[in-house]
Amino acid sequence: MQSGNLACYNFCQRCCYWLKGIYMKRKSIFKQMLVLMVVVICGLAAIILTIFMTAYEKDIYLRNQDISNLLAGETGVFMDGAYSLNEVLAKNPGILTMETEVQTPILAGCVDNNSYLEQIYIQGTDGMQTGRSAGELADRSTRWWFVQAMSEKKPFISKSYYSVATGMPCASIFFPMYQGEELVGIYAADLKLDFLQNLIGEYSREENSRISFVIDGEGAVVAHPDIQQIEEQYNYQEMVKTVPVKDEAGRIRKDAEGNIITQQLPLEVSRDFKEMIGKVMEGESGSGKISYEGEPYYASYTSIPLKGQSDSWSLITLHKKSAAMAAVYRMLRAAAVILAAGMGIALLMMIFRRQSLL
């Protein structure tokens, strides 16, 4: 009797071990399936995310480059138009008479009919002015532009400079004037660049942290949505800005002739920003990521060729990464919530399925 009970006990014990083995095996399979599911879902999500982010960043670069090319084209058209108009005027028979009473009304009329012209003035080969659109005639024989024009005898567009009269950057165009083969004088015209400032303001969107700006052939800011960079004459080649000197009371100091005394202060910019400026000033076009004012930005840049013996200008568009990717980040957060919910539902279904099999 006891041996029968012992045999029955042993049989039951083996059955328990067998059932426990089946349970543990199924539990192990369940864990493996769960791990595999998580790995597959996360892997697919990572692949899709990488493809999507790459495509979206490419689209950002293309859109910013399109804006840069558009603004560079508009700037080039404006400067080419101003150059061509003054080139024709420099060959006008009335201007070539070098007679003040003939030149003055022609020059004044041209300035009146073209709002971007600030002043036109004619110099003889001795540097003495023979005609001006406004103001008194003066000797300009020692001015750098007159010396250069007489020496090289080629037309050119000057670097930009800040006009106290307009509070905006200006540039000048210079032409040697000929009667036949004889050099008779130097033609000069000052251009107001407020058109470029308005153009840049139209396409810069501060609400989504995208700006564009123009620099001249020596790195000076010509147009920028931040007017302070114009007033302080930011130069991104020399990496300096020009600010007025103030006394202890905070008043702007002036010299004996009433001119504002200024000083140059260094600009703090990132290494990749400097490299971008160097590339575009060498005539390159392209896109990349840079650090600007301590934030990551997408940058696109292109060169603006000018007529005559002139250095090219440059157009740069910057788009803050956090703003450019804001829509993507919102989508990713929503996708993460959906993915987590989906994985939770799948997990509950697997648990329910496992229990139903036991």
Side-chain angles (χ1 to χ4, degrees):
M1 184 69 179
Q2 290 181 350
S3 60
N5 290 337
L6 181 61
C8 183
Y9 172 78
N10 291 335
F11 175 76
C12 291
Q13 190 176 42
R14 284 195 296 271
C15 288
C16 289
Y17 285 144
W18 179 71
L19 291 173
K20 184 178 180 180
I22 293 175
Y23 172 78
M24 294 301 294
K25 185 176 181 180
R26 288 184 176 179
K27 186 176 181 180
S28 176
I29 293 173
F30 172 76
K31 287 183 178 180
Q32 292 175 8
M33 291 177 63
L34 180 61
V35 171
L36 179 61
M37 180 189 72
V38 172
V39 170
V40 170
I41 292 176
C42 291
L44 288 174
I47 293 172
I48 294 172
L49 176 61
T50 301
I51 295 173
F52 178 74
M53 293 284 283
T54 301
Y56 196 83
E57 281 195 332
K58 183 178 180 180
D59 184 62
I60 291 173
Y61 285 130
L62 288 175
R63 280 184 278 133
N64 288 342
Q65 193 65 55
D66 286 344
I67 292 173
S68 294
N69 291 337
L70 172 64
L71 293 176
E74 291 284 342
T75 301
V77 168
F78 169 74
M79 296 302 294
D80 288 350
Y83 184 97
S84 298
L85 172 69
N86 287 281
E87 183 179 31
V88 170
L89 193 57
K91 299 176 182 178
N92 183 287
I95 298 298
L96 291 173
T97 63
M98 303 304 289
E99 296 178 4
T100 302
E101 61 274 13
V102 177
Q103 291 178 337
T104 299
I106 298 175
L107 301 179
C110 187
V111 170
D112 290 340
N113 293 328
N114 296 277
S115 60
Y116 61 85
L117 290 174
E118 184 172 7
Q119 180 78 276
I120 306 177
Y121 37 100
I122 311 298
Q123 290 68 220
T125 54
D126 60 354
M128 188 64 196
Q129 292 181 337
T130 61
R132 290 174 62 99
S133 56
E136 298 294 326
L137 302 179
D139 183 0
R140 295 292 184 258
S141 59
T142 59
R143 298 295 175 91
W144 69 269
W145 49 264
F146 179 80
V147 174
Q148 179 177 327
M150 288 295 295
S151 173
E152 298 181 359
K153 297 179 175 60
K154 293 180 180 179
F156 66 96
I157 300 174
S158 76
K159 65 179 181 179
S160 65
Y161 56 91
Y162 184 74
S163 171
V164 177
T166 63
M168 295 294 294
C170 294
S172 299
I173 303 177
F174 303 99
F175 292 94
M177 299 165 56
Y178 287 92
Q179 284 186 338
E181 298 295 324
E182 181 186 2
L183 178 67
V184 296
I186 301 298
Y187 175 100
D190 295 340
L191 308 180
K192 293 182 287 187
L193 301 179
D194 52 348
F195 166 79
L196 299 183
Q197 181 65 17
N198 294 334
L199 180 67
I200 289 298
E202 181 180 349
Y203 282 90
S204 293
R205 296 287 183 267
E206 294 187 14
E207 65 272 14
N208 63 1
S209 301
R210 183 175 63 209
I211 63 170
S212 296
F213 60 95
V214 180
I215 60 175
D216 67 14
E218 295 189 9
V221 172
V222 174
H224 197 290
D226 181 4
I227 196 68
Q228 182 178 349
Q229 294 208 18
I230 296 173
E231 293 174 346
E232 296 185 350
Q233 303 171 56
Y234 276 45
N235 188 303
Y236 284 121
Q237 183 178 51
E238 299 178 4
M239 294 299 165
V240 295
K241 62 180 179 179
T242 303
V243 299
V245 176
K246 297 181 180 180
D247 59 22
E248 295 180 355
R251 295 185 296 266
I252 295 176
R253 295 178 57 189
K254 297 182 179 180
D255 60 21
E257 298 179 356
N259 299 313
I260 296 175
I261 301 174
T262 61
Q263 62 178 336
Q264 289 188 332
L265 300 178
L267 292 175
E268 299 295 333
V269 299
S270 65
R271 179 178 177 181
D272 46 19
F273 184 89
K274 290 181 181 178
E275 291 175 350
M276 177 194 67
I277 293 295
K279 288 179 181 179
V280 72
M281 290 190 67
E282 290 177 358
E284 296 184 27
S285 297
S287 299
K289 292 179 183 177
I290 66 164
S291 176
Y292 179 69
E293 296 182 343
E295 298 280 351
Y297 274 76
Y298 295 106
S300 295
Y301 50 90
T302 189
S303 180
I304 308 172
L306 300 181
K307 290 184 175 181
Q309 297 295 111
S310 311
D311 294 327
S312 296
W313 289 10
S314 305
L315 192 292
I316 297 101
T317 296
L318 303 177
H319 199 174
K320 186 182 288 188
K321 183 178 180 180
S322 59
M325 299 294 288
V328 175
Y329 294 152
R330 288 194 295 269
M331 291 174 59
L332 290 178
R333 286 193 291 268
V337 172
I338 294 172
L339 179 62
M343 291 181 65
I345 293 172
L347 178 61
L348 290 174
M349 291 178 64
M350 291 183 67
I351 293 174
F352 177 78
R353 176 64 176 171
R354 188 196 69 169
Q355 290 178 345
S356 66
L357 293 174
L358 295 179

